[in-house]
Amino acid sequence: MKIKLLGTALALAVAAAPIAAVAGGVSGGNANSNWTIYGWQNWSYEFVDFDDGTEDRKTQRINNNAANIGFAASLDTGLDMGGEHVKVNFQCEQFTFFNRFNGFSDFCNRNSKISLSGVFGEIMFAQWLLPFNEMFAGWIDPFYDAGADSHTSIMGNVGGGQAFFYNGSFGPSQAFNRRQEEIVQYFSPNFNGFTFRVATTNAATTASAGNGDNVVTTATGTDKLDPRIWSTALAYENTLASGGNLWFAAGLEIHDEWAAVQNGCDDSDDKAYRLAGRYIHQWGNGMSTWISGMWEALEYDWEGCVAIPITAVADGGPDIDVERDAWMISGKQTFGNGFDFRFSYMNGDDLDCSVSDGCTTDSSTGGKAWNLGAFYTMPAGTELRVTYSQVDNDSNAQYDFGIGGVGTGVGEDIDMIALGIVQWF
């Protein structure tokens, strides 16, 4: 259910019918702005089993799987450009945690923005998923990229608890699945099926440091660093005459001096590359087949570091030069009667790193993860699901479930059965 509100209705006394809000705000509000309240709930009861090779541990939990509620508005600015109205847009989105209070207490802690949009595309100041994350997840992850069965268990990280970075003043450098604060981001218009996005942010890590003046104590002395992230992706999508859908994408993300500030390094230069594709074939009568795949390469180059928090890499550094490739396949089969079957499989290679590069070992640092799910969609859209997820770590690896990890140890394997319900509002 979406509820339209007239006026600036962030002062919420939410009822089940449209509400006429009193004009407010710094300059009295705007009676011409229309507000939408939206939400997504995806909850599961999960049975988790840990196996470290000598002992099994079991636990149960309820997981909210990125359940959220948001408020959005769009207003015509009165300016036309290229035959299209220019609009100003606002969005404030946050997690809805009913249990496991874990720090996301700030308002607008998910995708939130103020932006201008028109024939030129959209430019925003925001806290948002970066293009290297968002322009792939919905096309290659049939499990919504929202919970333990997310592709982020292997893709975009090298293990050690850095599968996904949500928000915060300054986030883990080695994670490439990111929702990043304080970004400037551009969404292009659609050029005959081609779209692209670009986002950037820099950061000050102390109250006294301005951007470009982060004073860091390193293994060799002190440095002034200017950490910055660049993220971009290009995609092409086309609906074929047969009714099928074809999609390809390529992405690049660069973390310049981001790790250096966090880990006390003289310099750091981290990069990630992705190539992906998906094809959906329509069989008729509501039946369809989705098959997709993605390859990625991660590169970490750190110099003069005080600490290096990457699994199988020696703490105390001072230097590392590490690379790792990974790939995945995924799919979804719908049967036209409300039932569908989904799967994903991921494989992370061993680290490409030698002792001279700062590694204690580069062997047995790979991991595998796979997910299976059966879904039933009721006539009004509510989904019921049962899923099975498993992560197998080599003896020196430390991969976890994707979003909502359970804290695996080095070399520990985990598996999970989950019963869930999904609803859009």
Side-chain angles (χ1 to χ4, degrees):
M1 177 182 66
K2 290 186 176 180
I3 306 171
K4 299 288 186 179
L5 291 89
L6 297 178
T8 53
L10 283 179
L12 294 174
V14 179
I19 301 172
V22 177
V26 176
S27 58
N30 193 313
N32 295 317
S33 57
N34 293 322
W35 285 88
T36 298
I37 297 179
Y38 62 92
W40 185 63
Q41 299 296 305
N42 179 4
W43 291 77
S44 55
Y45 197 99
E46 301 175 350
F47 303 84
V48 184
D49 186 14
F50 302 78
D51 182 4
D52 63 4
T54 59
E55 180 183 12
D56 282 352
R57 297 181 290 117
K58 299 181 184 295
T59 188
Q60 300 177 23
R61 66 178 188 173
I62 295 176
N63 204 0
N64 80 310
N65 298 306
N68 62 79
I69 187 170
F71 311 91
S74 183
L75 180 67
D76 192 335
T77 64
L79 178 67
D80 288 347
M81 184 178 293
E84 185 175 322
H85 295 301
V86 176
K87 295 183 178 181
V88 60
N89 313 285
F90 174 79
Q91 182 169 308
C92 174
E93 183 179 286
Q94 46 277 313
F95 290 103
T96 52
F97 286 114
F98 301 150
N99 63 342
R100 297 172 60 213
F101 296 102
N102 56 359
F104 298 108
S105 58
D106 294 336
F107 209 55
C108 304
N109 56 31
R110 283 177 55 85
N111 283 4
S112 302
K113 68 179 179 181
I114 187 166
S115 72
L116 292 174
S117 63
V119 67
F120 52 84
E122 183 174 12
I123 181 73
M124 66 178 70
F125 300 148
Q127 174 171 277
W128 208 268
L129 293 167
L130 292 183
F132 190 80
N133 180 349
E134 190 175 31
M135 287 193 73
F136 292 87
W139 286 264
I140 53 86
D141 194 334
F143 295 91
Y144 301 125
D145 182 35
D149 42 26
S150 165
H151 70 283
T152 57
S153 58
I154 299 289
M155 310 304 291
N157 75 101
V158 290
Q162 307 297 347
F164 192 100
F165 172 60
Y166 287 102
N167 306 309
S169 59
F170 198 67
S173 57
Q174 58 264 43
F176 283 93
N177 305 300
R178 305 180 75 89
R179 175 177 288 111
Q180 190 69 44
E181 75 288 348
E182 297 186 31
I183 67 170
V184 179
Q185 184 162 216
Y186 172 70
F187 292 2
S188 79
N190 190 308
F191 299 103
N192 296 319
F194 288 94
T195 58
F196 69 91
R197 300 183 187 182
V198 180
T200 186
T201 185
N202 64 353
T205 57
T206 66
S208 61
N211 291 335
D213 190 24
N214 293 277
V215 179
V216 177
T217 300
T218 73
T220 61
T222 59
D223 268 318
K224 288 185 178 180
L225 301 174
D226 184 12
R228 179 171 288 277
I229 288 178
W230 287 96
S231 183
T232 186
L234 170 70
Y236 172 76
E237 187 169 13
N238 186 28
T239 298
L240 307 177
S242 63
N245 181 271
L246 189 64
W247 168 88
F248 297 102
L252 168 67
E253 187 163 303
I254 299 171
H255 298 180
D256 183 27
E257 297 185 352
W258 207 264
V261 173
Q262 289 185 304
N263 302 301
C265 305
D266 291 316
D267 192 17
S268 66
D269 184 16
D270 302 343
K271 296 184 178 71
Y273 309 86
R274 278 181 176 169
L275 295 173
R278 186 196 67 181
Y279 174 67
I280 298 177
H281 185 80
Q282 302 291 342
W283 300 100
N285 298 319
M287 295 182 62
S288 65
T289 301
W290 151 350
I291 187 70
S292 57
M294 183 167 73
W295 166 89
E296 72 175 18
L298 308 182
E299 299 178 359
Y300 303 88
D301 184 5
W302 301 359
E303 299 176 4
C305 301
V306 172
I308 301 176
I310 293 181
T311 304
V313 175
D315 286 341
D319 303 336
I320 64 165
D321 185 0
V322 178
E323 298 181 9
R324 193 228 59 184
D325 291 356
W327 58 273
M328 70 172 290
I329 57 172
S330 56
K332 176 180 176 181
Q333 176 65 49
T334 64
F335 298 98
N337 57 1
F339 286 94
D340 66 73
F341 173 80
R342 309 179 192 190
F343 80 93
S344 64
Y345 174 82
M346 292 147 278
N347 186 302
D349 292 345
D350 286 344
L351 300 179
D352 184 3
C353 178
S354 67
V355 173
S356 62
D357 293 325
C359 286
T360 55
T361 179
D362 60 356
S363 62
S364 301
T365 53
K368 301 177 179 65
W370 52 283
N371 304 284
L372 301 173
F375 288 65
Y376 173 67
T377 304
M378 300 180 187
T382 303
E383 284 185 348
L384 301 178
R385 61 187 172 92
V386 57
T387 59
Y388 176 80
S389 302
Q390 181 172 315
V391 178
D392 293 335
N393 280 302
D394 292 347
S395 58
N396 294 310
Q398 197 178 358
Y399 291 101
D400 201 340
F401 292 134
I403 299 174
V406 293
T408 54
V410 175
E412 189 169 47
D413 299 334
I414 48 176
D415 60 72
M416 178 188 73
I417 295 174
L419 307 175
I421 182 169
V422 183
Q423 181 64 59
W424 293 261
F425 296 92

